[in-house]
Amino acid sequence: MQQDNYLKHGALTLCVSVIVGFIVDYAFNLSLSRNLSAHEYGDYKVAYAYATICGVMVLLGGDRVAPKFLAKPLADNATSQVGGFVLFFCKIAVSLSLIVFVFTYLTGYWHIGSWSLEEHHALLWISAAIPLIAIGAILSRVLQSAKMLVYANLPWRIGLPLGKTIAVIALAALLEQVHLWQVIAAGIGLLLIITSLQLAILRKKNLLSFTSLTPVNDGTKLLMTSVPMMLAMLVTIAISQLDLYMLELLALEHEVGHYAGAVTTAHMLPVAQVSIIALFVPLLGQALDKGEEHAEHVLWQAQRVMVVVVVLLSIALMASGSHLLKLFGEDFFTAKEALRYLILGSCFWAVTAFISTWLQYTGKGKYVVVIGLLTLFTDAILNWLLIPSHGITGAAISTCAALFLASLLTWITFLTFKKQRQSRRNMQSA
C-alpha cells in the first residue's frame, strides 16, 4: 500500500515535472535565442553541455550510487551516516572542480593567447558553476532516495529554467543588449539559491546531519562502485553533446545554434526518461537487497511505464516538432529533418535506459561503459563522415544510429545475463 501511494504521488510529480518543466525550459531557450545571435546561442549550449559533463565527472558517481548506498541509512534514520556520505563526495567534487577550472583557463590561454577573462570562451565562465551543479546533484539524490520527489525534482526541472527565463527577460528589459556572461552569472546565482534551499530542506526534515558525522568506512570500495556508474553516465551525456562540439569544428557557426534548437525540442524525451528512472530507482535499490529475482517486478513495472510514456511523447513531438522549431525563428526551421532523427534516436535509448540502470545496479557496470564507449566512437566517426556533406541532418543521423546501436547492445547484454541466471536456477532446482 505504501509503495502504491508513493508511485501515485510520484507519477503526479513526474507529469508536472515533464510537462511544465519542458514548457519553462523551452520558454528559456526561446527567450535566450531571441536575445542572442544564433552563434552566441550555440556558444551557450556548448558551454552548458561542458558544465553538465564536468558536473557529472567531478562527482565520481556519488549521485548515481546514492539510492543504492543510502537506502538503509535513510530507513534507519542514520542522519550522521548520510551526512558523511554527502560530505565525502562534496569534498571530491569541489577539489576536482578547481582542477577543471584551472585546466579550462590554461587551455583558453593556449588557444587565444590572453589572460583576460573577458576574451575567453563561455566555457571558462560557466566552469564556476560546476561545483554547485555537483553539490546540487548529490543533495537531489538524497531527497530522491528518501522518496521526496517534489523537493528533489521540481526545483531543478521547473524552478531553475523558470528563474533563468525571468532573468533573461529582465536583462532584456533593463539593458540595451544582453551579454552571454550575464546569463551565465544569473544561472550561477540561481544554482546557489536552489542548492541552499535543498540543503535547508534536508536538515529541516532531519535527513542528514553534519554535527556528528559518521565518515565513509571504505572510500576506495565505494568509489569502485560509483566510478563505473559515473563513467556510464558520462559516456551517455557525451553522446548527446558530441554533435555540438563536432558541429562547432566542422559546420558553419550559425548551424550550431539551429541544431541546439532541435536538441532542445527533442529534449522532452530524455527529461521523461530521467524522471521515470528517478521514480523507480529508490524502489529498485530496496528490492535488490532481497535478490535480483525479487527486484525484477520493479524493473518490468518501470519498463512498461517508460515504453508507454516515451512512445506517446515521440508521436506528439513528431507531429508538432516543426511548429515548435518555428518559435525560435523562421531560420530554425532548417533543423526540421535533424529534429526527426533526434526524436527517433532518443526514443531508441529511452526504452533501454532503465535496462542500463539495472545492469549498473547488479554489478554489470563495466559492460555499460564498454557499450557507451563503442557508441561514442560510432557517433564520432559518423559525425566526421556525415557533417561535412549533410550538416546538422548528418549530425542527427549519426546520433540516431549510435543510440540504436547502444540500445541493441544493451538489450543483448541484459538478455544474455538473464538467460545465464535462469540456467543456473534450473540447474539448482534439478
Side-chain angles (χ1 to χ4, degrees), residues 74 113 185 203 227 234 326 351 424-425:
L74 286 169
R203 301 191 73 164
V227 169
L234 200 61
K326 282 186 178 180
V351 297
R424 288 195 299 269
R425 193 187 309 159

Side-chain angles (χ1 to χ4, degrees), residues 147-358:
K147 300 180 181 178
M148 301 178 69
L149 295 182
V150 171
Y151 296 118
N153 286 349
L154 299 191
W156 297 106
R157 296 292 181 201
I158 297 176
L160 181 60
L162 179 60
K164 289 193 293 186
T165 304
I166 294 170
V168 171
I169 293 172
L171 287 169
L174 296 172
L175 304 173
E176 291 184 6
Q177 182 180 358
V178 177
H179 296 284
L180 191 51
W181 71 266
Q182 295 166 336
V183 177
I184 292 173
I188 292 173
L190 289 165
L191 286 173
L192 185 60
I193 292 170
I194 293 174
T195 303
S196 301
L197 176 64
Q198 288 192 317
L199 180 59
I201 291 170
L202 284 166
R203 301 191 73 164
K204 184 178 179 181
K205 298 290 184 180
N206 197 30
L207 292 173
L208 89 166
S209 171
F210 295 121
T211 52
S212 55
L213 284 173
T214 302
V216 172
N217 290 329
D218 192 344
T220 303
K221 184 178 179 182
L222 180 58
L223 289 173
M224 287 177 66
T225 303
S226 68
V227 169
M229 290 185 173
M230 177 271 291
L231 291 173
M233 183 64 182
L234 200 61
V235 171
T236 302
I237 294 174
I239 291 166
S240 66
Q241 306 295 353
L242 179 64
D243 297 346
L244 289 172
Y245 293 111
M246 296 200 70
L247 283 167
E248 190 92 356
L249 290 172
L250 302 171
L252 299 174
E253 289 184 343
H254 69 275
E255 286 189 303
V256 181
H258 294 165
Y259 189 79
V263 171
T264 299
T265 305
H267 189 60
M268 190 174 192
L269 289 170
V271 168
Q273 165 201 312
V274 171
S275 300
I276 292 170
I277 291 174
L279 176 64
F280 284 95
V281 155
L283 301 178
L284 181 64
Q286 292 174 348
L288 281 170
D289 289 337
K290 301 176 183 177
E292 291 186 27
E293 291 78 8
H294 180 80
E296 274 199 2
H297 78 280
V298 176
L299 169 67
W300 295 118
Q301 188 177 16
Q303 195 61 27
R304 285 193 297 271
V305 173
M306 185 76 81
V307 170
V308 171
V309 172
V310 166
V311 170
L312 290 176
L313 286 178
S314 297
I315 293 170
L317 285 174
M318 284 287 189
S320 61
S322 299
H323 302 291
L324 292 173
L325 276 177
K326 282 186 178 180
L327 296 176
F328 284 95
E330 289 296 329
D331 53 333
F332 280 80
F333 189 69
T334 57
K336 64 180 186 301
E337 287 298 323
L339 175 60
R340 292 194 181 102
Y341 286 108
L342 288 173
I343 293 169
L344 188 60
S346 297
C347 183
F348 285 144
W349 180 246
V351 297
T352 312
F354 203 78
I355 299 296
S356 178
T357 302
W358 170 273

Side-chain angles (χ1 to χ4, degrees), residues 59 66 69-70 79-93 135 138-139 142 199 202 207-210 213-214 216:
L59 207 49
F69 182 86
L70 295 178
T79 57
S80 60
Q81 193 172 343
V82 177
F85 175 89
V86 170
L87 193 61
F88 174 76
F89 280 105
C90 283
K91 286 180 178 178
I92 292 173
I135 294 170
I138 197 75
L139 296 179
V142 176
L199 180 59
L202 284 166
L207 292 173
L208 89 166
S209 171
F210 295 121
L213 284 173
T214 302
V216 172

